[in-house]
């Protein structure tokens, strides 16, 4: 659950390293994998739900709570420093999103104010600015989640992040030097009781093809891309099936429903792609993308796109050759019509004028 944190100073000019310290902010914090999440640790420090006394640190891999509108829930987050020197962090709570392409779990950067569950979290006063964790030590920070009176039923997802205050490197981004910080976040799932309405749609199914110059000499390839949208109020782990049929119902592609290894958050839309290594080169094709979720057997969505696979390069070459032949024949006829007529007769001397015989 880590990603280098990169931001750029506002002025497009070269800045010294010290000038970057006050200008750096966190970018999205992606977290791969499906729910439940693994514990958040980058090998140097980690962020975990505080375990009960005597329990292992990883007994809870993420925060999960529920509470009705208007209630308050308390918990504690633990920051573990595995390095051999003390480290200082900025702790903050924020909202979760899916990355638009690929759908990875991500947490909003520190410079973007949360609007959902991240705004409900209040960390203890000791974390108001920064916290320092001793070498090979840990720090427990209590927090509360105050659910607003108008909180909508369903799942609200965010996280608690520990952002290292130390600039660990400098990267060049065009004409600007960019300081790099690291951050780690633990997921927070919060459910507000009420009507749960799972919703999922498949949209914008597209097929991109590439084919060899001469048909059937090489392999044609294609990519089926599509958009999944969570239109409900609960988290879903989508299962997607892709099927393609040619003329007369022939099966060209059959990918059974399988987990996408991602958590699709309420209100989020993501773009996914499916490679098709042996795509048809000449056919009328119907591609069908179906989606559902194992946790909600009645949840089903589908979208269809149709296209005609034509070996365009070969067809263009044939048309070019045919056009060339027609042009050559027309030129030949034109030249024949414009040539002068030739006289094929033989010239002869006129007969002599013979005098009559007396």
């Amino acid at each position: 659950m880590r990603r280098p944190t990169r931001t750029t100073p506002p002025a497009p000019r070269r800045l010294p390293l010290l000038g970057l310290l006050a200008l750096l902010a966190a970018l999205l914090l992606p977290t791969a994998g499906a729910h439940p999440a693994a514990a958040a640790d980058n090998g140097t420090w980690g962020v975990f739900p505080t375990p009960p006394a005597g329990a292992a640190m990883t007994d809870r891999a993420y925060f999960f709570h529920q509470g009705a509108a208007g209630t308050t829930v308390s918990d504690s987050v633990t920051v573990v420093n595995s390095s051999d020197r003390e480290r200082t962090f900025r702790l903050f709570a924020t909202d979760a999103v899916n990355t638009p392409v690929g759908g990875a779990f991500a947490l909003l950067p520190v410079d973007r104010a949360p609007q959902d569950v991240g705004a409900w979290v209040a960390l203890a006063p000791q974390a108001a600015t920064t916290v320092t964790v001793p070498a090979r030590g840990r720090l427990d920070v209590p927090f509360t989640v105050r659910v607003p009176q108008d909180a909508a039923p369903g799942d609200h997802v965010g996280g608690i992040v520990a952002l290292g205050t130390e600039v660990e490197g400098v990267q060049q981004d065009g004409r600007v030097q960019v300081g790099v910080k690291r951050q780690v976040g633990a997921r927070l799932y919060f459910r507000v009781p009420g009507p749960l309405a799972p919703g999922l749609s498949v949209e914008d199914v597209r097929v991109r093809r590439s084919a060899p110059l001469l048909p059937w000499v090489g392999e044609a390839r294609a990519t089926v891309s599509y958009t999944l949208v969570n239109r409900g109020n609960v988290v879903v782990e989508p299962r997607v099936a892709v099927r393609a049929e040619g003329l007369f119902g022939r099966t060209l592609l059959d990918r059974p429903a399988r987990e996408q290894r991602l958590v699709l958050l309420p209100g989020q839309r993501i773009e996914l792609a499916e490679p098709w290594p042996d795509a048809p080169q000449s056919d009328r094709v119907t591609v069908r993308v179906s989606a559902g979720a194992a946790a909600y057997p009645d949840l089903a969505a589908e979208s269809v796109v149709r296209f005609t696979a034509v070996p365009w390069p070969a067809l263009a070459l044939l048309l070019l050759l045919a056009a060339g032949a027609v042009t050559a024949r027309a030129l030949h006829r034109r030249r024949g019509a414009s040539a002068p007529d030739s006289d094929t007769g033989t010239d002869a001397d006129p007969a002599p004028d013979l005098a009559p015989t007396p």
Side-chain angles (χ1 to χ4, degrees):
M1 283 185 59
R2 68 180 186 273
R3 177 177 177 178
T5 301
R6 308 173 61 242
T7 55
T8 60
R13 59 189 178 84
R14 196 173 177 86
L15 295 177
L17 177 60
L18 291 178
L20 292 170
L21 292 176
L23 298 171
L24 294 173
L27 292 177
L28 292 179
L29 178 66
T31 305
H35 174 83
D41 193 332
N42 64 10
T44 305
W45 71 85
V47 181
F48 311 93
T50 302
M57 185 62 66
T58 56
D59 273 5
R60 287 193 299 163
Y62 55 89
F63 297 99
F64 182 83
H65 291 289
Q66 58 182 352
T71 61
T72 299
V73 177
S74 299
D75 204 338
S76 176
V77 61
T78 295
V79 181
V80 176
N81 179 8
S82 303
S83 69
D84 56 3
R85 59 187 179 85
E86 73 174 23
R87 291 182 176 270
T88 302
F89 305 96
R90 178 177 176 183
L91 289 182
F92 65 95
T94 190
D95 297 336
V97 295
N98 289 106
T99 56
V101 178
F105 186 98
L107 295 172
L108 293 180
V110 66
D111 57 351
R112 286 185 56 184
Q115 304 298 317
D116 196 53
V117 69
W120 305 352
V121 176
L123 296 167
Q126 68 189 93
T129 53
T130 60
V131 296
T132 299
V133 184
R136 304 195 180 281
R138 58 179 276 187
L139 177 67
D140 300 338
V141 179
F143 67 89
T144 57
V145 183
R146 296 184 176 89
V147 187
Q149 293 287 351
D150 59 350
D155 292 336
H156 302 262
V157 187
I160 298 179
V161 181
L163 169 65
T165 59
E166 178 182 350
V167 176
E168 299 191 6
V170 176
Q171 297 179 357
Q172 195 72 26
D173 188 1
R175 298 172 56 191
V176 179
Q177 284 185 331
V178 179
V180 179
K181 296 179 180 180
R182 286 194 296 167
Q183 61 183 17
V184 175
R187 302 187 189 194
L188 169 62
Y189 294 89
F190 198 98
R191 173 165 290 183
V192 177
L196 301 181
L200 187 64
S201 67
V202 182
E203 303 174 5
D204 304 328
V205 179
R206 302 176 301 281
V207 179
R208 296 188 299 271
R209 300 175 57 250
S210 63
L213 180 62
L214 296 177
W216 302 287
V217 172
E219 185 180 79
R221 297 178 177 275
T223 301
V224 180
S225 59
Y226 54 94
T227 300
L228 292 183
V229 185
N230 186 342
R231 299 193 176 279
N233 63 357
V234 293
V235 167
V236 296
E237 298 177 30
R239 294 169 54 87
V240 178
V242 180
R243 181 178 176 82
E245 296 178 349
L247 288 173
F248 313 112
R250 295 179 300 108
T251 299
L252 305 176
L253 177 67
D254 189 7
R255 303 275 173 81
R258 63 194 184 281
E259 298 285 352
Q260 296 300 300
R261 299 183 60 81
L262 59 89
V263 175
L264 186 55
L265 307 178
Q268 297 290 301
R269 59 189 302 125
I270 60 174
E271 182 176 327
L272 301 175
E274 188 83 19
W276 190 355
D278 189 16
Q281 301 191 38
S282 178
D283 211 330
R284 177 61 178 171
V285 184
T286 299
V287 178
R288 193 180 313 274
V289 179
S290 306
Y296 304 100
D298 296 333
L299 185 61
E302 184 178 275
S303 187
V304 176
V305 67
R306 295 178 176 86
F307 69 95
T308 301
V310 178
W312 293 113
L315 183 60
L317 181 59
L318 289 175
L319 291 175
L320 183 62
L321 292 175
V326 171
T327 302
R329 186 173 181 180
L331 289 175
H332 179 72
R333 288 180 175 179
R334 185 175 180 181
R335 288 173 182 172
S338 61
D341 293 337
S342 58
D343 186 1
T344 56
T346 302
D347 293 338
D349 292 336
D353 187 12
L354 300 178
T357 308

